[in-house]
Amino acid sequence: TRKIIIDTDPGQDDAVAILLALASPEDIEVLGITAVAGNVPLALTSKNARIVCEVAGKPDTRVYEGCDRPMARELVTAEYVHGKTGLDGIQLPDPTMPVQDTHAVDYIIETLRAEPAGTVTLCPLGPLTNIGTAFQKAPDIKEKVQEIVLMGGAYFEVGNVTPAAEFNIYVDPEAADIVLKSGVPITIMPLDVSHKALTTRPRIEAFRAIGRVGEIVASWTDFFERFDMEKYGSQGGPLHDPTVIAYLLKPELFSGRHINVEIELQSDLTRGMTVADWWRVTDRAPNATFMGDIDADGFFALLTERLARL
Ligand code: BDR
Ligand code: CA
């Protein structure tokens, strides 16, 4: 089993990613879930993370609260996508499980220092504030990370929050820059991948057929997809964040290139753009595996099969 920390700002798609991880204990051990401000403010992402653990029937999962705003910018949220609660689509009971006392950044640092080097994978599904702050505060932990598998950025699909930038990177580009320059092995699931993982009708009906958890997931995706369907005229919504967990379970579903990826920090026009050297036109050293394609049917089959275990 692979030990992971999920760093997240739920978000319906984050929620499905958490469920996928918690549904796969033989492959993945979720050491902790760290909440960050992003889609909605921190108080809600923390609450939503715990709601999701309870939906999964895993109230013993440790949830930590992290940074409530980006490292150097004002927080930008996305209620227009995810609804006021961040998890609109179905009314679920408030969580009864506790938040841990430790700050998420300190938890990440302590965990990486305590575990053997190269045995913990970080899975960021939101702005990279918690990870960037941890790397800045404790640079020694960088060499202890096995891998970072994150959802963020775009190349051919370019932006979803501005014409140039994807939301997670846009919200905290300084944190993303620290992570991309960290020297840690990084795998990126950009919009180029997630915009191919669409919640079409048959895929959602397959979720519904599972039972209670599938119904909840379908209610979330029904709410979430309306935004992208109206915007792009697509067949469903992009299930961004679960691609990160699916990659841990079945990397063969994805293909990409090991290339150089830099973050734009200066320009107001292109703030947070992931400048990905897909065609290797520079001699800048590769620092990330940037995925470009997904076997979407295989991805949804995996998701449905795992969610049915909850
Ligand atoms: C990313 O932004 C959020 O809205 C989603 O949860 C996902 O992590 C997609 O750009
Ligand atoms: Ca997210």
Side-chain angles (χ1 to χ4, degrees):
T1 61
R2 191 151 167 176
K3 289 184 276 193
I4 70 170
I5 296 174
I6 302 177
D7 187 65
T8 175
D9 63 336
Q12 292 88 352
D13 61 319
D14 301 73
V16 178
I18 294 168
L19 290 181
L20 177 58
L22 293 177
S24 307
E26 64 282 55
D27 300 297
I28 291 174
E29 183 188 352
V30 180
L31 298 178
I33 296 178
T34 51
V36 68
N39 288 322
V40 286
L42 180 68
L44 287 172
T45 61
S46 160
K47 176 179 168 186
N48 293 344
R50 285 173 288 136
I51 288 175
V52 176
C53 292
E54 292 188 359
V55 166
K58 313 254 173 173
D60 296 337
T61 310
R62 287 192 279 270
V63 174
Y64 300 81
E65 287 180 358
C67 301
D68 64 0
R69 74 187 94 104
M71 293 182 78
R73 318 244 180 185
E74 295 289 316
L75 176 64
V76 176
T77 54
E79 285 86 356
Y80 61 98
V81 181
H82 300 273
K84 204 167 182 312
T85 65
L87 219 43
D88 278 25
I90 180 172
Q91 178 80 41
L92 293 166
D94 280 354
T96 55
M97 62 182 277
V99 188
Q100 302 297 310
D101 292 333
T102 312
H103 191 283
V105 168
D106 296 321
Y107 166 71
I108 291 167
I109 294 170
E110 286 163 18
T111 304
L112 284 166
R113 283 182 178 158
E115 296 286 337
T119 63
V120 177
T121 296
L122 303 178
C123 298
L125 311 177
L128 288 150
T129 318
N130 286 342
I131 314 295
T133 305
F135 283 0
Q136 193 174 65
K137 198 172 169 189
D140 58 286
I141 64 173
K142 288 189 257 182
E143 60 182 45
K144 304 206 71 180
V145 180
Q146 179 178 359
E147 185 181 0
I148 295 175
V149 184
L150 69 89
M151 192 281 138
Y155 179 61
F156 292 101
E157 287 281 324
V158 208
N160 62 352
V161 61
T162 71
E166 179 279 330
F167 179 81
N168 289 341
I169 308 296
Y170 176 81
V171 172
D172 199 338
E174 283 73 21
D177 185 55
I178 290 173
V179 169
L180 264 302
K181 289 187 173 138
S182 66
V184 172
I186 298 174
T187 297
I188 299 180
M189 295 294 165
L191 297 180
D192 305 282
V193 167
S194 65
H195 279 180
K196 294 177 186 128
L198 298 174
T199 54
T200 60
R201 286 303 90 202
R203 289 168 179 168
I204 297 311
E205 289 321 313
F207 287 157
R208 281 218 164 78
I210 290 170
R212 191 187 69 96
V213 171
E215 291 279 353
I216 292 170
V217 168
S219 310
W220 286 335
T221 58
D222 281 351
F223 179 86
F224 178 66
E225 71 178 10
R226 93 218 172 284
F227 177 77
D228 278 85
M229 287 174 75
E230 282 166 25
K231 188 166 152 193
Y232 303 106
S234 55
Q235 300 267 307
L239 224 38
H240 309 283
D241 294 335
T243 61
V244 165
I245 307 299
Y247 174 75
L248 302 180
L249 297 169
K250 263 197 162 188
E252 64 273 21
L253 293 173
F254 302 89
S255 61
R257 295 185 180 188
H258 190 57
I259 57 171
N260 178 268
V261 182
E262 308 268 337
I263 310 295
E264 174 57 42
L265 300 177
Q266 305 302 329
S267 158
D268 283 339
L269 189 63
T270 57
R271 156 184 169 184
M273 184 173 187
T274 43
V275 180
D277 190 4
W278 184 261
W279 300 110
R280 300 194 181 100
V281 294
T282 73
D283 53 12
R284 291 196 286 264
N287 59 345
T289 299
F290 196 86
M291 292 301 178
D293 209 354
I294 178 175
D295 168 359
D297 285 332
F299 166 74
F300 276 92
L302 172 70
L303 195 49
T304 308
E305 180 248 312
R306 292 298 165 111
L307 293 178
R309 299 181 185 182
L310 289 173

